[in-house]
Structures are given as C-alpha cells and as structure tokens.
Amino acid sequence: MDIDKIRSDFPILSTTVYGNTLVYLDNGATTQKPKCVVEEIEKIYYTTNANVHRGVHYLSQKATDLAEESRVVVQQYINAEHSREVIFTKGTTESINLMAHSFCRQFCKEGDEIIISAMEHHANIVSWQLQETIKGIKLKVIPINEKGELMLDEMKKLISSKTRLISITHVSNVLGTVNPIEEIIEIAHNHDIPVLIDAAQSVQHMVIDVQKLDCDFLVFSGHKVYGPNGVGVLYGKEKWLNQMPPYQGGGEMIGHVSFKGTTFNELPFKFEAGTPNYPDVIALAKALNYIKNIGLDSIKSYEDELLQYCSDELSKIEGIRIFGTSEKKCSVISFLVGNIHHYDMGMLLDKMGIAVRTGHHCAQPLMEELGIEGTVRVSIAFYNTKKEVDRLITGIKRVVAMFG
Ligand code: PLP
C-alpha cells in the first residue's frame, strides 16, 4: 500500500491542530473522506440534481440510474445475491430500528425473545428495548469473559423455543473483539433462528460476504466506511424482507394508494419511504469503490500490523489497563492509565494534535460490566502510520508525566 499516496487523497489529514499536524485516531466514530467522495457529492449537485424515481426528464433519470447503480455497488461489496436485498437507510442506527420495528411486528409476540450481547452499541440495545414496551418481547444478553470475548456456551443456554432473532455486533466498538459470527450463525440456524450482524465496525476493515456467512441481515453506516454521513445500509435476505411490513409510510414505498386501502411497493422500495438521500448513496458507492481499489485484504494486513504495533507499544506504558485482550481484534484499542481520567487524557492528547475518543462509546452496559465509567479509545484506519502511533505513545507518556 502506498500510504503517502493514500494520505494525499485525504486533505484533512494535513490539518494543523494547536501547532501540530493532526493525528486522527478516532476512526471508529467516523472516518475521513477521500477527495473522490467529496468531489462526487459536489458533482452530483452541480450536474445531476433531480428527484429520483419520479421524473421522466433527463436529470431525474440520470440521478435514478446512478442511485440504482450504487445499489449494485453495495450488493457486490457485500456479495448479496440480489441488489433488491440492499435497503438504503440513514445509517446503522436507522437500519437496526427498521429491523426492530418491522421484524418484531411480523414475527414476535409477547414473551418472545431476542438475543443480543453484553458488548453491543446502544443502537443494538435500545432499538430492541423499545420493542419490549411495544411488543412485550424480552431481551437476553450473552455475557463476555475477562478477555472481552463472547461466551458462546452461555449463548447456547440462552436459546429457547421463544428465541426469534440473534442480533450481534461483528466487531466491538469498545473492545475491538472480532466475534465468531460464522459459529454464531451456524448455531442459530441449527435452531432456525435468523441472525442480524451489526457490521458498523467491520465492513471497512475486512471482506464481508453475506452469502458465504449466510447471515440473514447485516447493517452498516456510510460515514464509517469513508463515505458520507446520513446514509447507511440494511441488507436482508429476500425471504425475510418480503414478509416484513414497511417501516415508514410515504412516497415510493407504495403500490397504489386509496382511502379504501393501500398496497405496497416491491423490494427494496417498500422500505425506502420518501425522497431518498441519493447524492450520498451515490457518494457511498464511490467510497466503496475506493476501498476496493486499495483492496480489503491489503487493508486488513496493514491495519492488523499497525494494531499489533500500537498494542505492543501501549502495553509498555506503566499502569496501563487495556480493555479487550482477545487474540482476534480489529482496529480498536480501549485503555486507561493509572488513575488518569479518560477525559483528561483525551483533552491533553488533543492539545498535542492527537484525536482519540473518550467516554462510554455508546456502550454503557459494557462499561457497567467492566466496572468503569469510560475509556480512552484509539481506532485505526488504513491511512494511519507507525509514526502516528509513536506520536500517540509519546503523548500518553507526557500526560502520565504531567500527572506524576
Ligand atoms: N453499532 C456499532 C458497533 C457502532 O460502533 C456504531 C457507531 O459507533 C453504531 C452501531 C451506530 O452507528 P451510527 O451512529 O452511524 O448509526
């Protein structure tokens, strides 16, 4: 990988922060955008702006074609069987809310159970909790061990005749653990239970093949895969999506509307009510093609090496506690040093131009489990370098020295 060339595609990486060149290590929160993505958005508004699916005129048809071609780009990126299995949403959060609302309405009755895990992002907790109130479903939670790995034996015990879905993150946004989703899907399918994979922290780091995985649903956000904000994906197997009722009502999701009764459109439009965010959909396709051009296998081996280096260097710091020590990790390292508050660490690193995340990372139940309020989180992308990791380590050592 030509890192210098790659970095030149991301002008923001040359930003000066308090006199230092930015070291951006908050990629788990959002990734930076390559020039081609930003330029694509500008290009669409300057040359192709028109409402999609509704006009017979030239611009509308051009915008529609580009948006539908983008659906195929997403389909190919995750190797879905059909492009109609790709639903565009606002992001992971909306995708999971769509799932919780629509799946529970169709398939769950009072007392039915959904299994999640102790390391989920709030999006994959609260969306289901809302259905506890609305539908009377119950949430069951797979515990984690001291390394921050899912306890699959415990998961097996949680499965019952009432289990309707297992909804699980692929990579923990706090611990960095890569969960054994192949095994989870196999176990679930042996009980005829579908599985939803939250790929918000994985789809930008490794090859995901939904057909090979045989997952029933998969969700991710555009802004975490070097694409724009406000766009995301819900992939679902056609057989499930066809049975599920629409999430929202409005334009485009209908077949025919009458006051006597309304029929609904086919997939994927049944789940895409209203004018979609087509400029960002098109720019998302640019981002995915950008990743593909670099190559996910090269990205993975580069990032894994950088993660290992960062992890080794962090481990040498006296008093450091790393949360999540599984052998199978990806991109993310969470830590605390001595009694230094995560917020103080983050603020002082920022003054040195180093951007990290601090706090509970939208995973308060996990924080409770770990017995802490928050962590400092470093999350790596393919444009980061060993030199940047060195700056992080020097920065942390300076903070430690300040606190004596
Ligand atoms: N799931 C995971 C694992 C995440 O890391 C995040 C965001 O950090 C989300 C869901 C929510 O993503 P978004 O805020 O883009 O909807």
Side-chain angles (χ1 to χ4, degrees), residues 28-29 91-94 96 121 123 169 171 173 198 200-201 221 223-224:
T92 305
T93 301
E94 190 179 47
I96 301 178
H121 185 281
T169 193
V171 171
N173 69 319
D198 176 350
Q201 298 291 345
S221 297
H223 72 98
K224 293 186 199 283

Side-chain angles (χ1 to χ4, degrees), residues 27-30 89-97 119-124 168-174 198-202 204 219-224 229-232 332 357 361-362 377:
N27 297 288
T30 199
T89 64
K90 278 195 308 198
T92 305
T93 301
E94 190 179 47
S95 297
I96 301 178
N97 274 276
M119 63 169 86
E120 298 306 317
H121 185 281
H122 292 165
N124 200 25
I168 207 93
T169 193
H170 190 182
V171 171
S172 162
N173 69 319
V174 176
D198 176 350
Q201 298 291 345
S202 62
Q204 63 281 56
V219 295
F220 66 92
S221 297
H223 72 98
K224 293 186 199 283
N229 282 296
V231 64
V332 170
R357 196 72 165 183
H361 317 297
C362 294
R377 183 186 73 181

Side-chain angles (χ1 to χ4, degrees), residues 110-129:
E110 196 173 344
D112 281 348
E113 295 161 358
I114 307 280
I115 296 179
I116 58 169
S117 86
M119 63 169 86
E120 298 306 317
H121 185 281
H122 292 165
N124 200 25
I125 301 174
V126 185
S127 312
W128 303 107
Q129 282 179 333

Side-chain angles (χ1 to χ4, degrees), residues 317 319-323 334-339 370-372:
I317 294 171
I320 196 157
R321 275 189 297 160
I322 293 180
F323 300 91
S334 270
F335 64 90
L336 288 171
V337 186
N339 292 326
L370 297 171
I372 52 178

